[in-house]
């Protein structure tokens, strides 16, 4: 471990970023799904800074009850305050809390990194909302606003008079999708907004993120049994439906749907398709506004041929260097190595390391 750390320091030499820390995480029995996501979040600089600010504001409160947020803040603080530049940290307290909180992550079975990321972000939001409510109650103010759910499946509260709390998780990760349905009889457009923390995209062989996004927002015709009930026509009508990004997030998280349920097999299969993800991504066709540019800064990679076994590692861009995090091990890699994680162009390939969750930060829309 020490040798690996010193090797990394030697590789970076004078270019080792001032004040930065590169620490691997110990694995507590199949916790690579957790380790890889935590590394990606640690190198999501706005998220890290706000979490450390939260830690600074709350560390002296003696009666703060331990929860997933306090454990994560404590872990990030441990890393950032290390005297050494490299090494290994055991995220034991965080993992214990995670297993205590959610039985899904209690077993030593292979877990899904995307499920974990979704759970973690929503859990942090819940904790922040409860803390905000407790503070308001202490001040004797009115009851809380109606909560707007944070996942991609939920709609914004229509006509809600009270504004929902916008946490720093929302400010970083939340975007808004608009689901538009146009009645082909009367041309009336019905639009419904939904919030999202990440976009889950269907993938095809030898495709790219751009083409996956185009498919995501392509127009679909609703006819036959799928007709749409138009309020204006007061009847079922043929319609056209499409999904657009109304408000792009500061941090765009893209989840590639690599695990597909195959009816004939009666189980999930991993799609090892080659999906090119660029280092710089432009959102144009999917967004209502002008072009939005994003820069890739982290990739959670699934290693293995199936959904129920395998391993997770992460690639992270930090101060213009790319690093490879594999539990305790941290190595420097060349930028060109990122493309080896696009996937396999043939169905049967020895390459089983495939990009699974992509983290992009907005360049043109930093706020």
């Amino acid at each position: 471990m020490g040798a690996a750390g010193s090797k990394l320091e030697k590789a970076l030499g004078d270019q080792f970023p001032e004040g930065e820390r590169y620490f691997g995480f110990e694995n507590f029995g199949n916790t690579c799904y957790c380790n890889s996501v935590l590394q990606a979040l640690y190198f999501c600089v706005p998220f890290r800074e706000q979490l450390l600010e939260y830690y600074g504001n709350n560390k002296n409160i003696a009666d703060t009850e331990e929860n997933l947020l306090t454990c994560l803040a404590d872990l990030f603080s441990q890393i950032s305050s290390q005297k050494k530049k490299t090494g290994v940290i055991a995220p034991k307290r965080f993992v214990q809390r995670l297993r205590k909180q959610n039985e899904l992550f209690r077993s030593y079975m292979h877990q899904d990194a995307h499920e974990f990321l979704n759970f973690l972000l929503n859990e942090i939001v819940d904790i922040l909302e409860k803390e905000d409510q407790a503070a308001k109650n202490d001040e004797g103010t009115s009851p809380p606003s109606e909560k707007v759910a944070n996942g991609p499946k939920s709609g914004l509260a229509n006509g809600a008079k009270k504004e929902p709390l916008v946490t720093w998780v929302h400010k970083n990760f939340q975007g808004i999708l608009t689901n538009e349905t146009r009645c082909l009889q009367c041309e009336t457009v019905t639009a419904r907004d939904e919030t999202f923390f990440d976009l889950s995209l269907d993938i095809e062989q030898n495709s790219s993120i751009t083409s996956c996004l185009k498919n995501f927002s392509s127009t679909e015709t609703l006819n036959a049994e799928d007709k749409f009930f138009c309020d204006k026509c007061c009847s079922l009508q043929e319609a056209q439906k499409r999904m657009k990004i109304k408000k792009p997030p500061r941090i765009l998280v893209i989840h590639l749907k690599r695990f597909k349920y195959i009816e004939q097999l009666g189980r999930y299969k991993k799609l090892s398709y080659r999906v090119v993800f660029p280092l710089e991504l432009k959102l144009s066709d999917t967004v209502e506004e002008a072009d939005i540019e994003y820069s890739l800064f982290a990739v959670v990679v699934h290693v293995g041929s199936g959904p129920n076994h395998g391993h997770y590692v992460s690639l992270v861009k930090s101060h213009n260097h790319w690093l490879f995090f594999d539990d305790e091990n941290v190595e420097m890699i060349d930028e060109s190595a990122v493309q080896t994680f696009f996937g396999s162009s043939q169905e049967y390939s020895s390459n089983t390391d495939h990009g699974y969750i992509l983290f992009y930060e907005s360049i043109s829309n930093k706020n």
Side-chain angles (χ1 to χ4, degrees):
M1 289 177 199
S6 58
K7 190 179 167 188
L8 178 64
E9 283 185 58
K10 204 176 279 184
L12 281 162
D14 296 341
Q15 290 183 299
F16 204 104
E18 183 68 36
E20 193 57 275
R21 297 290 176 265
Y22 299 133
F23 275 73
F25 290 151
E26 203 177 308
N27 189 319
F28 296 99
N30 258 347
T31 54
C32 56
Y33 70 91
C34 173
N35 290 350
S36 56
V37 168
L38 292 183
Q39 294 290 10
L41 289 175
Y42 185 80
F43 290 97
C44 176
V45 177
F47 178 82
R48 183 210 305 186
E49 285 175 350
Q50 282 150 339
L51 186 61
L52 290 174
E53 188 183 321
Y54 171 87
Y55 179 80
N57 293 338
N58 290 276
K59 63 181 176 182
N60 297 324
I61 302 171
D63 58 355
T64 300
E65 193 182 330
E66 182 186 280
N67 56 42
L68 217 50
L69 176 55
T70 60
C71 290
L72 185 64
D74 187 55
L75 175 64
F76 276 28
S77 172
Q78 265 187 64
I79 301 165
S80 65
S81 60
Q82 288 289 324
K83 284 181 181 167
K84 287 184 178 178
K85 293 179 179 180
T86 59
V88 178
I89 276 182
K92 195 170 185 180
R93 193 164 153 233
F94 178 85
V95 171
Q96 282 175 338
R97 185 74 221 175
L98 175 69
R99 286 174 170 165
K100 191 175 179 182
Q101 198 122 350
N102 190 327
E103 60 182 298
L104 183 69
F105 304 111
R106 240 166 257 169
S107 75
Y108 288 86
M109 300 284 285
H110 184 67
Q111 304 290 349
D112 189 300
H114 177 242
E115 277 183 24
F116 165 65
L117 173 64
N118 254 333
F119 171 73
L120 180 60
L121 293 181
N122 281 292
E123 185 63 24
I124 293 172
V125 166
D126 284 347
I127 293 165
L128 291 172
E129 286 179 341
K130 280 171 190 162
E131 286 181 358
D132 179 69
Q133 186 44 41
K136 281 178 180 169
N137 287 346
D138 287 347
E139 290 165 14
T141 55
S142 56
S145 59
E146 184 181 332
K147 184 183 163 190
V148 172
N150 314 295
K153 293 175 187 167
S154 56
L156 289 170
N158 291 324
K161 290 175 186 171
K162 295 167 184 172
E163 284 295 308
L165 175 69
V166 178
T167 69
W168 39 268
V169 177
H170 292 105
K171 284 176 184 170
N172 283 315
F173 294 101
Q174 184 173 273
I176 300 173
L177 290 170
T178 294
N179 200 333
E180 286 183 352
T181 310
R182 180 188 297 275
C183 173
L184 294 179
Q185 179 64 31
C186 69
E187 295 291 321
T188 301
V189 176
T190 307
R192 186 169 58 86
D193 289 353
E194 310 178 2
T195 60
F196 68 93
F197 278 164
D198 63 69
L199 290 180
S200 288
L201 301 182
D202 287 311
I203 60 173
E204 292 175 355
Q205 179 57 288
N206 294 320
S207 59
S208 66
I209 292 300
T210 310
S211 64
C212 292
L213 282 165
K214 272 183 188 169
N215 288 341
F216 177 79
S217 63
S218 62
T219 303
E220 176 192 350
T221 303
L222 304 175
N223 53 23
E225 291 174 7
D226 295 325
K227 280 184 181 176
F228 166 74
F229 186 87
C230 174
D231 288 338
K232 194 169 181 184
C233 299
C234 294
S235 58
L236 289 168
Q237 296 291 346
E238 289 194 355
Q240 283 184 332
K241 181 182 168 187
R242 71 168 298 197
M243 190 82 88
K244 282 196 296 194
I245 298 173
K246 184 177 179 179
K247 181 179 177 288
R250 181 179 182 178
I251 307 294
L252 175 65
V253 181
I254 294 175
H255 160 236
L256 302 180
K257 289 156 89 170
R258 287 206 175 270
F259 303 115
K260 186 179 181 182
Y261 188 75
I262 310 293
E263 289 282 348
Q264 299 94 308
L265 301 174
R267 60 179 169 83
Y268 281 89
K269 182 192 175 192
K270 182 180 177 185
L271 305 176
S272 58
Y273 299 161
R274 178 179 165 82
V275 182
V276 174
F277 45 88
L279 298 175
E280 306 292 328
L281 176 68
K282 266 194 177 183
L283 287 191
S284 48
D285 296 346
T286 45
V287 183
E288 285 188 346
E289 302 161 27
D291 286 2
I292 306 291
E293 269 192 86
Y294 285 92
S295 177
L296 185 72
F297 71 87
V299 182
V300 171
V301 173
H302 181 269
V303 181
S305 54
N308 300 318
H309 51 85
H311 184 52
Y312 286 104
V313 296
S314 50
L315 317 173
V316 161
K317 187 180 185 181
S318 168
H319 303 271
N320 295 318
H321 300 290
W322 278 92
L323 300 160
F324 177 79
F325 287 84
D326 181 356
D327 289 333
E328 292 95 339
N329 301 309
V330 188
E331 294 169 32
M332 198 171 154
I333 58 166
D334 197 68
E335 185 174 86
S336 61
V338 174
Q339 60 190 284
T340 61
F341 299 93
F342 288 166
S344 317
S345 49
Q346 285 104 25
E347 190 174 345
Y348 299 103
S349 166
S350 56
N351 174 19
T352 63
D353 306 7
H354 310 122
Y356 183 48
I357 310 170
L358 314 172
F359 292 78
Y360 284 93
E361 182 171 13
S362 166
I363 304 168
S364 49
N365 201 23
K366 283 190 178 180
N367 42 32

